[in-house]
Amino acid sequence: MSFNFLPNTALATISIDKDNIFTYAQTYNGEIAQIKGKVNGSSYEVIGDQAGIDITKSSAGDTAAKRFTPLAAVQSTMGDYNVHWLFYVDNNNYLRDAYSHDNSQWSEGRLYQQGKWQCASYSNLAAIKLTNYLSLDFVSLYFQDYTATGNVRVVSYNPTAGWQEGNPPLDDPPLYGTSLAVVRPEPGIEVVHYGEDTDTQDPVVFFQYDKLELGSSQSQGKNDYATYNINDKTITLSAHAALAAVDDGTNFWAFYTADNNAVFRMRVDKNGAIIQPRPVDLGGGITPIPGSSLAAAFVKDGTTDKVVLFYLLHYEDIKQTTQEVNVFASVLTNTSASDADSWSSGARVCLTADS
């Protein structure tokens, strides 16, 4: 099955391992589709058909996703099951979730039943799963609220308490409609502990300031957060830059669209040092559709680090047309174990075309 995707659909991804990567995008009828793929050497390969998530489409009633909904996705555990968890927004801008046990049928989750978490109409989403000191998974979901300052808020789920409000809103202030990306804390990117010292540290969320700089919830003292300066002021973050992030426990990489619409990569190392942005080669001078989303998945292929970058293009080689929006993937491969900034790009692959 091949879907007709919304122009500038949001993108989200779950990376379990190199052979199990799931990408989510919204179709023209409002349904959210899941596309399974894997890393195959220096390229990406689609596995099987695209599958629609019925409860998210327009005919599903109140549980349907609004058109151009933001998206976020994680894999977690629930009892003996592995759970794919998808987050989206309905027509009234309430947070919604859907889940699938071991990649079986999708069901509506309980996030909406709280009846109180409504995001701004321009909000994006970001989600992450972490494991606490009791070896229990918890999930944090970030969104932008509808206050005048557009605060970034978080709700979290754990198996004993269910969904609850997280830490106080981040109001540094963010750009209205900022892209959001979140990674686990690690040396060089850390936040303060909330609660007991035995608690797992909070995830670190990245966003764009209203002055268009890249910022995060990384603590630099009470009520002070990190700003990441990009020295090349001639090629900086675009207004409403797309933003995706990955980490390997030692390094953090942010991928973003610059003001020339090219994709750039910036790294922060374990000492907190910022390694200045470098362009990401998508082949042939290709850049994503202006204003479109990015998603990124970090995987290990043996001992080699790889990042799969997902983005949107109009052109698709098989159909020789520019009339449709298609989701593409490029595999970035670390070519030197001793150099975290040495990467090669494989050929771009279309995820959404009939072959």
Side-chain angles (χ1 to χ4, degrees):
M1 181 186 297
S2 182
F3 292 101
N4 185 14
F5 284 85
L6 278 176
N8 288 0
T9 173
L11 298 172
T13 187
I14 295 173
S15 171
I16 301 170
D17 53 42
K18 75 179 188 69
D19 295 316
N20 292 276
I21 302 172
F22 300 85
T23 307
Y24 300 90
Q26 191 175 29
T27 71
Y28 222 82
N29 74 349
E31 187 173 16
I32 299 169
Q34 174 182 273
I35 311 162
K36 184 178 180 181
K38 68 177 183 179
V39 171
N40 186 0
S42 61
S43 188
Y44 193 77
E45 181 179 327
V46 178
I47 305 172
D49 288 337
Q50 302 164 30
I53 299 171
D54 285 347
I55 62 173
T56 64
K57 63 185 178 182
S58 55
S59 60
D62 291 342
T63 63
K66 74 174 184 180
R67 279 179 171 77
F68 298 100
T69 178
L71 296 173
V74 297
Q75 176 178 277
S76 183
T77 57
M78 187 181 295
D80 296 329
Y81 294 100
N82 291 319
V83 177
H84 287 196
W85 221 331
L86 175 71
F87 302 99
Y88 61 97
V89 172
D90 67 19
N91 281 322
N92 293 313
N93 294 315
Y94 281 99
L95 301 179
R96 295 270 186 174
D97 67 318
Y99 67 91
S100 170
H101 286 163
D102 293 322
N103 207 27
S104 60
Q105 183 175 352
W106 287 85
S107 302
E108 183 185 5
R110 298 180 179 178
L111 179 57
Y112 175 75
Q113 293 176 8
Q114 302 292 327
K116 56 185 177 183
W117 292 315
Q118 191 176 28
C119 63
S121 59
Y122 50 73
S123 178
N124 287 290
L125 299 177
I128 190 171
K129 183 266 294 187
L130 294 179
T131 304
N132 67 12
Y133 71 103
L134 294 175
S135 298
L136 296 174
D137 287 354
F138 67 95
V139 175
S140 293
L141 175 65
Y142 293 83
F143 63 98
Q144 200 167 8
D145 70 21
Y146 50 83
T147 60
T149 51
N151 299 337
V152 176
R153 296 174 62 187
V154 59
V155 292
S156 297
Y157 175 89
N158 70 66
T160 56
W163 286 102
Q164 293 186 323
E165 188 84 22
N167 293 325
L170 192 157
D171 57 355
D172 216 21
L175 178 74
Y176 292 149
T178 178
S179 293
L180 297 171
V182 61
V183 296
R184 60 188 174 181
E186 62 186 40
I189 299 177
E190 298 171 310
V191 294
V192 297
H193 281 284
Y194 287 88
E196 301 298 327
D197 290 340
T198 52
D199 286 349
T200 303
Q201 284 185 297
D202 294 321
V204 186
V205 62
F206 289 81
F207 62 95
Q208 194 172 13
Y209 281 108
D210 60 359
K211 299 297 185 183
L212 307 185
E213 295 177 298
L214 179 64
S216 86
S217 60
Q218 180 184 358
S219 176
Q220 294 193 328
K222 186 176 181 181
N223 298 322
D224 191 18
Y225 301 100
T227 302
Y228 294 87
N229 294 315
I230 297 172
N231 289 338
D232 186 354
K233 300 302 182 182
T234 63
I235 304 177
T236 188
L237 276 74
S238 63
H240 286 106
L243 179 63
V246 298
D247 74 285
D248 66 359
T250 302
N251 296 287
F252 158 80
W253 289 273
F255 296 87
Y256 63 89
T257 47
D259 54 10
N260 64 355
N261 206 47
V263 177
F264 278 73
R265 178 188 72 243
M266 185 188 76
R267 179 169 68 92
V268 180
D269 70 14
K270 64 181 179 181
N271 298 312
I274 299 171
I275 290 75
Q276 287 301 316
R278 301 185 182 188
V280 176
D281 180 17
L282 301 180
I286 288 291
T287 60
I289 294 173
S292 61
S293 297
L294 294 175
F298 178 86
V299 296
K300 279 281 191 182
D301 189 358
T303 59
T304 303
D305 292 345
K306 297 186 176 181
V307 174
V308 186
L309 190 66
F310 300 94
Y311 50 95
L312 299 181
L313 297 177
H314 287 131
Y315 186 71
E316 193 279 300
D317 292 329
I318 297 173
K319 297 181 181 179
Q320 298 288 307
T321 180
T322 58
Q323 302 305 305
E324 296 178 1
V325 169
N326 287 284
V327 183
F328 279 74
S330 293
V331 176
L332 314 179
T333 301
N334 180 234
T335 58
S336 173
S338 60
D339 184 359
D341 296 306
S342 180
W343 295 79
S344 65
S345 298
R348 61 182 180 273
V349 173
C350 182
L351 278 61
T352 53
D354 288 325
S355 57

